[in-house]
Amino acid sequence: MRVLGLETSCDETGIALYDSELGLLSHRIYTQIAVHAEYGGVVPELASRDHVRKAMPLIREVMAEAGLTLADLDGVAFTRGPGLVGALLVGACLGRSLAWALGIPAVGVHHMEGHLLAPMLEENAPEFPFIALLVSGGHTQLVQVEGIGQYTLLGESLDDAAGEAFDKAAKMMGLPYPGGPELSRLADSGNAKRFRFPRPMTDRPGLDFSFSGLKTFTRTTILDCAEDGVLCDTDKADISAGFQDAVVETLAIKCRRAMKQTGIYRLIIAGGVGANRSLRARLQETAAELGGEVYYPRPELCTDNGAMIAYAGTQRLLAGECSDLAVTAVPRWPMTELKPLDTKHG
């Protein structure tokens, strides 16, 4: 089965073509960073307009690279939620319309299920069951996964997601948009031991997260270090290193707890923050100490992308799921509401 995947939940337009026999055939990702940079954050209306502008050209590129035409498609998968409602509707309208015109089925995919299943696109794909750490700009969750659609939420952030905390801490230091990746880059040259950031909610039982306290500590540290309101490069690097180390250690502590609590020592990392090298290294060490394994998608498939939507959609189409003709988007959508598939094989 050949499935076209459309991802338009926020500020990346991701288009991909997946074959259930041959794997990922081609994919493209267009980022809107330049569009939103002058505003310091995503402007929903501009995001929607840019998806409209870029989606069809990217579809043509993906099909051309695979040497196929739209007539060769067997299904279409689009992100139905969660995300920005206007951006979601662009993908939903396009995906549902294409499928109707071609006489093939379409299915709306949960954005976070796409991230969760992204490691399945790699040669060394994990087997079920596993623990998933989903860390993106809008979500930080620990999920026990028994099979596709068989999800138990173990813990989540009670305030900001890890990615949001990275971006907000970066903005406090005046780093360019998007701040999270720039903060991580600076952290590589900083002294993580100069400032002892707190490890929130690690001194109590449970698997929930909270990162708002790290923002407060960052603000206080900046005020203590800044001269005439300006931070020197060394201060920026050291604050970045301390901040990143606190987030990474907090996530590692919770992942260790989740694995020991469930007795499942197979861990996957997915979502934009999952591309962070420090996080990958720390979780690799944590899993190894417990005799476990860590899996993650290649960095380009950690960010929002069409490949993960095409893969997740293919599994649901193969199981007989199909969206009706109504064009719908679900800005808020708990992943635990998803229908379990009969099979446990991706």
Side-chain angles (χ1 to χ4, degrees):
M1 173 177 261
R2 296 192 190 105
V3 176
L4 182 70
L6 314 177
E7 157 57 25
T8 64
S9 65
C10 190
D11 59 342
E12 271 105 16
T13 309
I15 308 295
L17 182 60
Y18 181 81
D19 187 301
S20 57
E21 299 290 332
L22 302 175
L24 184 61
L25 300 181
S26 60
H27 79 103
R28 290 285 189 278
I29 302 172
Y30 167 75
T31 180
Q32 301 177 357
I33 288 175
V35 175
H36 304 290
E38 65 178 293
Y39 305 100
V42 177
V43 181
E45 178 63 22
L46 296 182
S48 302
R49 292 180 184 180
D50 225 30
H51 288 309
V52 171
R53 185 172 65 89
K54 294 298 295 186
M56 278 308 301
L58 289 176
I59 288 174
R60 295 188 188 101
E61 287 183 28
V62 163
M63 299 305 297
E65 182 179 25
L68 299 171
T69 68
L70 293 176
D72 296 310
L73 293 176
D74 300 303
V76 178
F78 57 89
T79 303
R80 184 167 176 247
L84 302 175
V85 65
L88 290 168
L89 283 171
V90 173
C93 288
L94 179 56
R96 201 64 203 79
S97 300
L98 272 175
W100 180 82
L102 296 169
I104 56 178
V107 65
V109 172
H110 193 289
H111 178 75
M112 296 310 295
E113 180 173 65
H115 276 305
L116 185 150
L117 296 176
M120 299 296 189
L121 290 161
E122 305 302 337
E123 288 187 12
N124 183 31
E127 296 181 358
F128 298 111
F130 55 74
I131 301 298
L133 173 64
L134 303 178
V135 275
S136 67
H139 300 82
T140 300
Q141 298 177 326
L142 274 168
V143 183
Q144 181 174 335
V145 181
E146 298 293 336
I148 297 177
Q150 300 175 47
Y151 309 132
T152 301
L153 181 64
L154 302 175
E156 62 184 338
S157 179
L158 303 179
D159 39 59
D160 287 345
E164 288 177 311
F166 265 91
D167 288 340
K168 290 177 180 178
K171 193 170 185 177
M172 291 179 196
M173 289 188 284
L175 302 183
Y177 174 86
E182 180 66 14
L183 186 152
S184 294
R185 186 188 68 78
L186 278 178
D188 290 341
S189 60
N191 176 11
K193 296 182 179 180
R194 180 181 170 192
F195 305 107
R196 178 60 183 177
F197 279 72
R199 274 58 174 164
M201 296 186 71
T202 58
D203 58 349
R204 67 189 77 174
L207 295 172
D208 286 330
F209 304 91
S210 172
F211 296 107
S212 61
L214 290 179
K215 293 188 303 178
T216 303
F217 190 91
T218 301
R219 170 61 67 189
T220 301
T221 305
I222 290 171
L223 292 175
D224 288 343
C225 293
E227 294 185 12
D228 299 323
V230 179
L231 282 176
C232 69
D233 290 343
T234 299
D235 289 338
K236 289 181 180 180
D238 291 348
I239 292 171
S240 295
F243 179 90
Q244 176 173 271
D245 198 57
V247 173
V248 166
E249 186 174 355
T250 298
L251 293 172
I253 290 170
K254 298 290 185 169
C255 285
R256 175 189 288 273
R257 285 185 190 173
M259 288 188 282
K260 294 183 75 172
Q261 177 179 306
T262 61
I264 299 172
Y265 295 97
R266 194 178 291 117
L267 175 70
I268 72 122
I269 316 166
V273 183
N276 183 286
R277 290 176 297 178
S278 178
L279 177 62
R280 289 189 178 209
R282 186 72 62 88
L283 291 179
Q284 196 81 46
E285 293 173 6
T286 299
E289 290 169 1
L290 297 173
E293 298 175 281
V294 178
Y295 301 83
Y296 36 75
R298 70 201 79 163
E300 67 193 77
L301 298 186
C302 286
T303 186
D304 294 349
N305 64 87
M308 67 184 193
I309 302 304
Y311 177 84
T314 298
Q315 307 315 308
R316 292 196 170 272
L317 286 169
L318 287 172
E321 286 193 25
C322 180
S323 298
D324 59 28
L325 290 176
V327 175
T328 59
V330 187
R332 297 182 181 274
W333 187 8
M335 197 164 58
T336 51
E337 293 181 358
L338 293 176
K339 177 183 177 183
L341 300 191
D342 292 335
T343 176
K344 288 191 176 183
H345 301 287

